[in-house]
Amino acid sequence: MNKHSFSNKTIRLASIDSTNNYALKLIQKEHIDNGTVIISDYQTEGRGQRLNKWMSEGGLNLTFSIVLFPHWLRPDLQFLLSQLVCLGLADYLSMHIPDVKVKWPNDIYIKDKKVCGILIESAIRGMRLENSIVGIGLNVNQMEFDENAGRGTSMALMTGHRYVLEEVLSAIVKNIEKYYVLASQGNGDKIQKKYFDQLLFAGEMRGYKDENGFFNGKIEKVLPDGRLLVVKEDGTEYLYVFKEIEFIF
Ligand code: BTN
């Protein structure tokens, strides 16, 4: 037991607008232990990154939030939270499924399809993170995906197995806790390295698109603040923040 370990508390809901919204209201209202999980079978207003909706068929997938109080983490280094959450998820999925990768900045892919999205919302106080709500949408047993909704897949679709949601949830939360405790003990550099090792297309010459159009380039590095360093074919280096670069599959 470490002071940054997770509580084993889980709040289960049948239906809610968004587990991230619920978590925020709870933090504002009462004391919550670090690592409390809020999970709902169904979300009516599931939120994705950048005002997108997160669509998930009720009862088939995992949609949950973990409430954290990372007072040990400086706001300018908060990308470490994304990295450790990605690793916790990718480690677990890799034990069951081949070709699991992290797509920068914080999606989990199997081959060229997205199996999991992460939405982390944090409050900052001075030089510290006050609280972080880590929202995770993992497609587990859903078998059909809207072609127009992007490149979605699920664990079941990739393997032909059906999974017990409770088992998947508890294994993933344990994995994320392991990396959270490691990070809180000052192992950020190890986590950054491991994240890079699992990064989709890292070190390969690949097609991308930015505001200047299509180009070939190589992901060289992810900076501690989360920016992506890409070297273009002509040798010029570019740093991107989220949504400034598109991956071409
Ligand atoms: C993404 O756009 O990839 C992020 C998706 C995050 C979805 C999860 S589901 C649980 C939590 N509650 C929400 O409303 N969103 C996150």
Side-chain angles (χ1 to χ4, degrees):
M1 197 62 181
N2 171 287
K3 70 172 174 170
H4 299 295
S5 295
F6 290 4
S7 79
N8 285 321
K9 290 199 185 120
T10 303
I11 299 171
R12 291 168 203 284
L13 308 164
S15 173
I16 193 72
D17 54 348
S18 148
T19 56
N20 270 34
N21 295 354
Y22 186 92
L24 182 61
K25 285 188 200 130
L26 217 55
I27 293 174
Q28 289 164 346
K29 207 167 66 183
E30 59 194 68
H31 167 83
I32 308 181
D33 292 333
N34 187 61
T36 297
V37 173
I38 295 147
I39 178 157
S40 183
D41 291 339
Y42 182 66
Q43 295 186 124
T44 53
E45 297 287 331
R47 292 189 288 112
Q49 293 148 5
R50 290 187 95 228
L51 304 180
N52 287 329
K53 281 192 177 221
W54 182 256
M55 309 302 278
S56 174
E57 256 183 69
L60 293 179
N61 302 315
L62 287 173
T63 48
F64 64 103
S65 304
I66 309 176
V67 179
L68 298 173
F69 299 93
H71 300 162
W72 48 272
L73 189 57
R74 281 182 10 215
D76 56 327
L77 299 177
Q78 63 183 290
F79 188 66
L80 189 58
L81 270 188
S82 291
Q83 292 179 304
L84 71 88
V85 171
C86 284
L87 285 183
L89 283 155
D91 268 15
Y92 168 77
L93 291 171
S94 300
M95 284 191 283
H96 299 268
I97 309 170
D99 302 314
V100 173
K101 289 278 176 189
V102 176
K103 177 173 175 279
W104 178 86
N106 57 3
D107 290 329
I108 311 293
Y109 269 55
I110 302 174
K111 296 208 177 86
D112 59 351
K113 297 238 162 73
K114 177 162 164 173
V115 69
C116 179
I118 300 163
L119 176 67
I120 303 182
E121 297 176 299
S122 298
I124 293 165
R125 181 190 276 189
M127 287 301 288
R128 299 286 152 205
L129 281 184
E130 179 72 4
N131 59 60
S132 295
I133 299 168
V134 176
I136 296 174
L138 172 65
N139 298 328
V140 182
N141 291 321
Q142 184 171 328
M143 294 309 275
E144 279 165 28
F145 288 86
D146 183 352
E147 281 297 312
N148 305 318
R151 332 175 58 82
T153 192
S154 68
M155 293 171 65
L157 204 54
M158 296 309 283
T159 60
H161 296 129
R162 218 185 145 75
Y163 295 86
V164 178
L165 293 178
E166 276 308 312
E167 289 175 9
V168 178
L169 175 70
S170 83
I172 282 172
V173 172
K174 278 207 183 73
N175 263 1
I176 293 175
E177 178 186 24
K178 180 184 92 182
Y179 283 109
Y180 182 81
V181 170
L182 270 177
S184 73
Q185 291 169 331
N187 294 299
D189 46 353
K190 282 193 197 127
I191 287 168
Q192 283 159 5
K193 185 181 175 310
K194 204 163 153 55
Y195 170 90
F196 191 80
D197 289 343
Q198 310 219 16
L199 207 56
L200 183 74
F201 297 169
E204 298 170 22
M205 190 56 76
R206 285 279 172 172
Y208 298 95
K209 188 178 170 217
D210 66 8
E211 59 173 5
N212 299 314
F214 290 93
F215 66 92
N216 287 321
K218 215 189 256 187
I219 294 175
E220 288 280 307
K221 204 173 176 177
V222 177
L223 270 50
D225 64 10
R227 282 179 297 166
L228 187 73
L229 178 71
V230 177
V231 181
K232 293 194 178 180
E233 236 170 356
D234 63 5
T236 50
E237 292 189 344
Y238 285 81
L239 275 173
Y240 295 98
V241 298
F242 185 39
K243 290 289 170 191
E244 284 181 350
I245 180 169
E246 197 184 310
F247 289 49
I248 309 298
F249 287 94

